[in-house]
């Protein structure tokens, strides 16, 4: 059965304190791994798509990396506005996404 | 532009009401999705339309009825809902590539539904 596990469940950082979020997956055939950011009561906002092991993508203070079993979302020098829930999802089959339960990030000033 | 719009933003309905949620995208995407999200949980897939045809129904109760009138619009008709159906309903869209494989899904802001 396809599974996606995110850790930690919640993370509290001080402004400027860099850290990483983990997404480990067990799928029969990876057809893409996606990172989204979600603010409370709003729809997920697309961040990155990764397709193959070794791939890396960056956007402002965020950097996503992918191995054969997991993906990391590195947050460098976070700011309070980076506070959100970060969701990882993998595509299984041609159309379905399997989501992890998310990591709730709180960045304090 | 990667915008998906949803109306209404909020909806309160009784268990005997009939209402509809609407979703629109103008990115030329040919796959559209409905998800349901409960508080502090990830989105759960309900339906997928590909080229205006229903391709996936995740065993959703018949009180939820999807409709895709054209390639830009997606509706979700609601009838005789239960209080446990209260949730954030999300619409998403994506392009369809080689052999029907879909690309990145872009989500709308959601409709907050409360069933009394």
């Amino acid at each position: 059965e396809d599974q996606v596990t995110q850790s930690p469940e919640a993370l509290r950082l001080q402004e400027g304190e860099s850290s990483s979020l983990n997404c480990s997956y067990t799928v029969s055939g990876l057809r893409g791994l996606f990172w989204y950011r979600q603010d409370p009561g709003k729809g997920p906002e697309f961040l990155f798509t990764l397709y193959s092991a070794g791939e890396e993508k960056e956007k402002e203070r965020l950097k996503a990396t992918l191995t054969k079993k997991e993906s990391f979302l590195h947050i460098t020098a976070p700011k309070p506005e980076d506070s959100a829930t970060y969701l990882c999802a993998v595509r299984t089959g041609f159309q379905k996404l399997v989501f992890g339960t998310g990591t709730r990030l709180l960045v304090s000033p | 532009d990667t915008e998906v719009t949803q109306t209404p933003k909020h909806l309160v309905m009784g268990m005997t009401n009939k209402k509809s949620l609407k979703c629109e995208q103008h990115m030329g995407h040919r796959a559209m999705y409905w998800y349901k999200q409960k508080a502090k949980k990830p989105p759960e897939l309900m339906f997928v339309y590909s080229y205006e045809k229903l391709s996936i129904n995740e065993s959703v109760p018949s009180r939820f009825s999807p409709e895709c009138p054209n390639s830009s619009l997606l509706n979700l008709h609601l009838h005789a809902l239960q209080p446990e159906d209260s949730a954030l309903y999300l619409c998403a869209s994506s392009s369809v590539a080689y052999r029907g494989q879909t690309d990145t899904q872009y989500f709308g802001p959601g409709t907050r539904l409360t069933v009394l």
Side-chain angles (χ1 to χ4, degrees):
Chain A
E1 185 184 339
D2 299 324
Q3 279 197 321
V4 179
T5 304
Q6 290 188 247
S7 61
E9 194 174 307
L11 181 61
R12 194 170 194 138
L13 298 174
Q14 289 293 122
E15 184 171 2
E17 180 187 1
S18 301
S19 188
S20 296
L21 313 182
N22 177 262
C23 171
S24 60
Y25 58 90
T26 307
V27 296
S28 53
L30 183 68
R31 290 187 171 93
L33 184 142
F34 304 83
W35 282 100
Y36 291 88
R37 168 200 168 120
Q38 187 172 27
D39 293 304
K42 297 191 176 181
E45 175 191 345
F46 169 69
L47 295 174
F48 303 108
T49 305
L50 301 166
Y51 288 104
S52 54
E55 192 173 358
E56 298 182 352
K57 289 195 177 170
E58 285 188 71
K59 179 181 177 181
E60 296 179 355
R61 296 177 292 282
L62 300 177
K63 179 180 177 181
T65 61
L66 181 64
T67 73
K68 287 187 178 178
K69 293 185 179 180
E70 57 192 350
S71 176
F72 293 93
L73 185 65
H74 308 279
I75 304 177
T76 302
K79 298 183 177 182
E81 53 262 41
D82 294 322
S83 298
T85 295
Y86 290 84
L87 293 166
C88 169
V90 296
R91 182 165 58 213
T92 66
F94 288 116
Q95 297 177 331
K96 292 179 67 169
L97 289 183
V98 176
F99 281 89
T101 52
T103 292
R104 292 192 308 279
L105 174 65
L106 178 63
V107 182
S108 302
Chain B
D1 184 15
T2 55
E3 188 177 26
V4 177
T5 59
Q6 291 186 244
T7 55
K9 285 186 170 39
H10 302 276
L11 179 62
V12 179
M13 59 187 291
M15 290 190 286
T16 58
N17 292 156
K18 285 185 182 180
K19 297 286 185 182
S20 297
L21 309 184
K22 295 186 186 302
C23 173
E24 189 166 6
Q25 57 88 14
H26 294 288
M27 295 178 276
H29 289 167
R30 301 306 297 274
M32 296 186 78
Y33 312 76
W34 280 115
Y35 287 85
K36 172 183 176 179
Q37 187 176 27
K38 302 283 263 186
K40 297 192 176 181
K41 297 287 187 182
E44 295 176 30
L45 183 66
M46 300 174 72
F47 303 104
V48 181
Y49 274 83
S50 182
Y51 291 96
E52 297 88 69
K53 290 191 184 338
L54 184 65
S55 59
I56 295 178
N57 176 343
E58 291 287 273
S59 303
V60 178
S62 60
R63 57 185 184 269
F64 295 92
S65 175
E67 178 196 19
C68 190
N70 60 54
S71 60
S72 301
L73 292 174
L74 186 66
N75 299 320
L76 186 63
H77 303 296
L78 314 173
H79 172 55
L81 294 193
Q82 304 296 309
E84 58 265 29
D85 296 322
S86 298
L88 181 68
Y89 287 83
L90 295 163
C91 174
S93 72
S94 71
S95 58
V96 181
Y98 175 68
R99 291 180 61 194
Q101 179 161 301
T102 53
D103 205 343
T104 300
Q105 292 183 25
Y106 294 92
F107 285 82
T111 293
R112 171 68 60 192
L113 174 67
T114 302
V115 182
L116 301 176

